[in-house]
């Protein structure tokens, strides 16, 4: 939703993705499960230690939710104010309706400056755009400088967690990887030595890069400020050392005032990594000024829609855009902690991915994803901005099989299957006719036990559960024979 654009044309998956198959494969990998279990237990413990008083936690959640809700309520006006103040500060603002447009904008900015190399700080929006692959196809080197992102880039992988992208790997796996893929690197399992190896490679890349790219955690409308939260200093190096800085953000990141940032920052770091504060917190207000000794000569900001306007238009689904990308819902999800992030085959895995990805790509092609949840409610209970993830999942499940008039959900009604339609028509036909219902239940109670576990309509259930055994007599029969008020 740029001030001059109301429509949206999101990236669509061309083929249906099967989360169920990928999850089943992940469950057969004991090393993967052990890596995630250990990491998630640690993150849950650290987060809990940061919120010793439940009342203080709830007060902070209420305040953060109010700030994000108010920001979204006034989003069109705040975006215009933000753009005006960024421009006043010397930041050049660009609007992109689609990922393709955003990639072309960044390519054009780099080509105009003759830039051939790019160092990147962590940015999930750039993952959404598949920016690295796009730039490499145009002859531009894009190197991840966040340690986790650097590790997975060496192996050609995608992030498995939005905060800790290489969390699926353990120390031994990274030691082998570095010894094989970094020139002159020796094999060591010492974490400090491994970090030093990556730092040695990246430090020179920062100095040599023509441009740096970063994400944006919060964008302040009243000052035109880009806020960047990080722990490694790579974000500051990416944004200050190269002569050209390009920032990318989803249009929902804007908040009204600078004072809105403090509570959001406090609950973000505590929820994400169990830290009271991150090691670095950057406030970027423009390019290097006269007399300043560091900073980029040019700062560009690309604001991406990619379906967010459509999500924003629905009052219930709009809550999805409150997300501050802390990853707490993933850390507490019983599904995510067992199958990991790659099973989702999406940029945003876990509970937030289950509601965000189908809204961007279509509920039909990501039908498996919205059903890959037990609806236990843990994600909603820990979300720092109180996104009702279980309720939105239920809504999307309905949207996937119904073509409700007025609904703006992408791919609505395309998740229906002929088998499911047939089953529900059969059920409706039987339950509407008392005589037929009595005959059906008589057969079910007498012969249901003999139904094979691999029968078409129940095999998905019995693949991982015991086959249900019907009662020997239906409730109606028992009422008639044993007596009851309406027998």
């Amino acid at each position: 939703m740029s001030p001059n654009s109301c429509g949206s044309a999101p990236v669509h998956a061309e083929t249906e993705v099967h989360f169920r198959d990928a999850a089943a494969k992940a469950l057969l990998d004991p090393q993967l499960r052990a890596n995630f279990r250990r990491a998630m237990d640690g993150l849950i413990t650290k987060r809990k230690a940061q919120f010793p008083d439940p009342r203080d936690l709830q007060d902070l959640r209420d305040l953060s939710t109010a700030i994000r809700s108010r920001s979204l309520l006034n989003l069109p006006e705040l975006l215009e104010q933000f753009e005006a103040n960024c421009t006043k500060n010397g930041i050049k603002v660009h609007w992109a309706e689609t990922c393709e447009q955003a990639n072309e904008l960044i390519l054009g900015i780099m080509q105009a400056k003759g830039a051939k190399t790019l160092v990147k700080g962590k940015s999930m929006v750039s993952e959404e755009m598949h920016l690295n692959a796009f730039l490499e196809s145009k002859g531009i080197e894009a190197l991840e400088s966040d340690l986790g992102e650097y590790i997975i880039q060496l192996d050609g992988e995608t992030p498995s967690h939005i905060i800790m992208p290489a969390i699926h790997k353990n120390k031994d796996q990274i030691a082998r990887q570095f010894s094989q893929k970094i020139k002159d690197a020796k094999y060591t399992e010492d974490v400090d030595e491994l970090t030093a190896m990556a730092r040695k490679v990246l430090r020179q890349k920062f100095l040599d890069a023509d441009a740096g790219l970063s994400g944006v955690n919060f964008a302040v409308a009243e000052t035109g400020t880009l806020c960047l939260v990080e722990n490694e200093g790579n974000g500051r190096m990416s944004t200050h050392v190269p002569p050209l800085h390009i920032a990318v953000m989803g249009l929902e990141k804007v908040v009204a005032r600078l004072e809105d940032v403090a509570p959001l920052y406090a609950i973000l770091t505590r929820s994400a990594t169990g830290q009271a504060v991150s090691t670095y917190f950057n406030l970027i207000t423009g390019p290097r000024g006269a007399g300043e000794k560091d900073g980029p000569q040019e700062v560009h900001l690309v604001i991406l829609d990619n379906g967010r306007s459509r999500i924003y238009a629905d009052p219930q689904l709009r809550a999805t855009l409150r997300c501050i990308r802390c990853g707490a819902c993933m850390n507490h999800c019983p599904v995510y902690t067992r199958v990991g992030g790659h099973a989702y085959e999406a940029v945003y895995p876990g509970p937030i991915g289950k509601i965000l990805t189908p809204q961007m790509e279509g509920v039909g092609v990501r039908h498996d994803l919205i059903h890959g949840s037990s609806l236990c409610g843990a994600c909603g209970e820990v979300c720092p901005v109180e996104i009702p993830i279980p309720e939105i999942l239920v809504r999307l499940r309905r949207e996937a099989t119904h073509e409700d008039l007025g609904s703006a959900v992408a791919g609505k009604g395309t998740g229906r299957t002929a088998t499911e339609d047939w089953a529900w028509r059969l059920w409706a036909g039987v339950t509407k006719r008392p005589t037929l219902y009595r005959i059906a239940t008589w057969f079910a109670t007498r012969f249901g036990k003999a139904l094979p576990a691999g029968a078409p309509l129940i095999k998905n259930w019995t693949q991982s559960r015991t086959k249900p055994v019907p009662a020997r007599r239906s409730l109606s029969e028992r009422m008639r024979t044993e007596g009851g008020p309406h027998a």
Side-chain angles (χ1 to χ4, degrees):
M1 184 202 310
S2 70
N4 300 316
S5 171
C6 297
S8 61
V11 171
H12 290 281
E14 293 181 354
T15 57
E16 186 173 355
V17 181
H18 294 284
F19 170 70
R20 185 192 300 273
D21 297 337
K25 184 179 178 182
L27 287 171
L28 297 176
D29 187 339
Q31 183 64 67
L32 181 76
R33 294 182 63 182
N35 292 349
F36 269 94
R37 184 73 271 167
R38 182 170 54 252
M40 296 300 106
D41 286 348
L43 289 169
I44 290 172
T45 303
K46 289 179 180 177
R47 175 187 176 275
K48 188 176 180 182
Q50 287 294 330
F51 298 113
D53 188 333
R55 291 170 299 182
D56 289 345
L57 169 59
Q58 191 54 50
D59 287 346
L60 188 55
R61 290 182 79 205
D62 291 343
L63 177 58
S64 301
T65 302
I67 290 171
R68 290 298 298 139
S69 298
R70 172 166 46 81
S71 300
L72 291 174
L73 189 65
N74 301 303
L75 188 59
E77 295 80 11
L78 290 179
L79 283 170
E80 290 185 349
Q81 183 186 9
F82 175 63
E83 180 185 25
N85 285 325
C86 281
T87 304
K88 193 184 302 179
N89 294 339
I91 299 174
K92 298 177 181 178
V93 180
H94 311 265
W95 298 90
E97 192 171 339
T98 67
C99 290
E100 290 79 7
Q101 290 177 4
N103 284 332
E104 290 292 343
L105 278 169
I106 291 174
L107 177 65
I109 294 167
M110 294 192 67
Q111 288 178 333
K113 302 299 293 184
K116 293 290 185 184
T117 57
L118 177 79
V119 285
K120 289 181 61 196
K122 195 169 183 318
S123 162
M124 290 308 297
V125 170
S126 73
E127 297 286 346
E128 196 177 314
M129 295 157 53
H130 304 293
L131 178 64
N132 288 5
F134 173 78
L135 291 180
E136 285 170 11
S137 72
K138 303 298 181 183
I140 294 177
E141 178 192 80
L143 181 70
E144 298 286 352
S145 64
D146 173 88
L147 182 57
E149 292 277 1
Y150 176 68
I151 290 169
I152 61 172
Q153 189 177 30
L154 285 177
D155 271 349
E157 295 180 325
T158 55
S160 58
H161 191 284
I162 62 174
I163 297 297
M164 290 149 287
I167 203 167
H168 56 290
K169 292 181 181 292
N170 61 26
K171 181 176 60 177
D172 301 348
Q173 292 170 315
I174 296 170
R176 283 196 299 274
Q177 179 197 41
F178 275 24
S179 66
Q180 295 167 359
K181 299 194 174 181
I182 296 180
K183 186 180 179 183
D184 300 329
K186 65 176 184 179
Y187 180 88
T188 176
E189 295 179 9
D190 185 283
V191 174
D192 290 338
E193 289 190 44
L194 290 169
T195 305
M197 289 178 196
R199 183 182 296 119
K200 184 179 178 182
V201 174
L202 293 172
R203 189 56 59 97
Q204 192 58 47
K205 292 291 184 180
F206 286 126
L207 296 172
D208 296 340
D210 299 318
L213 184 136
S214 74
V216 177
N217 290 97
F218 311 110
V220 185
E222 70 171 355
T223 58
T225 303
L226 313 179
C227 303
L228 187 60
V229 181
E230 53 147 342
N231 275 316
E232 300 173 8
N234 67 301
R236 184 164 297 181
M237 295 286 280
S238 299
T239 58
H240 280 66
V241 176
L244 173 64
H245 170 211
I246 304 170
V248 292
M249 60 174 262
L251 55 76
E252 79 280 15
K253 293 286 187 179
V254 69
V255 296
R257 301 184 294 265
L258 197 57
E259 67 186 49
D260 291 336
V261 173
L264 293 175
Y265 175 53
I267 204 166
L268 169 62
T269 56
R270 287 173 167 85
S271 301
T273 55
Q275 295 172 280
V277 294
S278 57
T279 308
Y280 297 90
F281 183 68
N282 305 290
L283 297 169
I284 301 167
T285 52
R288 181 190 306 187
E292 293 180 343
K293 296 182 178 179
D294 64 1
Q297 295 163 7
E298 282 189 24
V299 178
H300 294 256
L301 172 65
V302 177
I303 302 177
L304 177 65
D305 186 325
N306 193 30
R308 289 168 171 82
S309 291
R310 189 184 54 249
I311 299 172
Y312 179 81
D314 187 292
Q316 182 188 20
L317 301 180
R318 185 183 302 166
T320 308
L321 301 179
R322 290 208 298 258
C323 181
I324 56 174
R325 304 289 191 268
C326 69
C329 60
M330 300 175 195
N331 305 344
H332 292 76
C333 174
V335 177
Y336 176 86
T337 55
R338 283 162 179 78
V339 304
H342 288 158
Y344 294 80
E345 300 184 2
V347 172
Y348 301 99
I352 188 62
K354 287 175 188 173
I355 61 171
L356 183 57
T357 305
Q359 292 186 70
M360 287 182 164
E361 299 183 2
V363 289
V365 291
R366 304 317 303 257
H367 197 217
D368 262 17
L369 209 54
I370 56 179
H371 284 273
S373 169
S374 64
L375 298 179
C376 69
C379 50
E381 289 186 14
V382 299
C383 178
V385 287
E386 300 177 316
I387 300 172
I389 294 175
E391 288 82 355
I392 293 177
L393 272 173
V394 172
R395 162 84 184 277
L396 294 178
R397 288 179 183 183
R398 173 180 168 74
E399 296 279 359
T401 54
H402 294 75
E403 294 186 62
D404 292 339
L405 293 176
S407 170
V409 173
K412 61 182 179 181
T414 56
R416 297 177 73 133
T417 65
T419 303
E420 191 175 342
D421 274 354
W422 178 84
W424 284 114
R425 286 197 189 102
L426 178 65
W427 174 264
V430 170
T431 54
K432 287 177 182 174
R433 299 168 176 81
T435 301
L436 189 57
Y437 181 79
R438 281 195 291 274
I439 293 172
T441 53
W442 189 90
F443 272 95
T445 51
R446 270 65 175 184
F447 303 106
K449 190 176 180 180
L451 192 68
L457 289 179
I458 64 170
K459 67 179 181 181
N460 287 341
W461 177 272
T462 56
Q463 279 174 351
S464 56
R465 304 174 183 87
T466 303
K467 190 186 78 172
V469 178
R472 298 178 65 181
R473 289 184 300 164
S474 70
L475 178 61
S476 297
E477 285 182 90
R478 292 186 60 186
M479 293 294 285
R480 285 196 296 272
T481 56
E482 298 174 13
H486 303 293

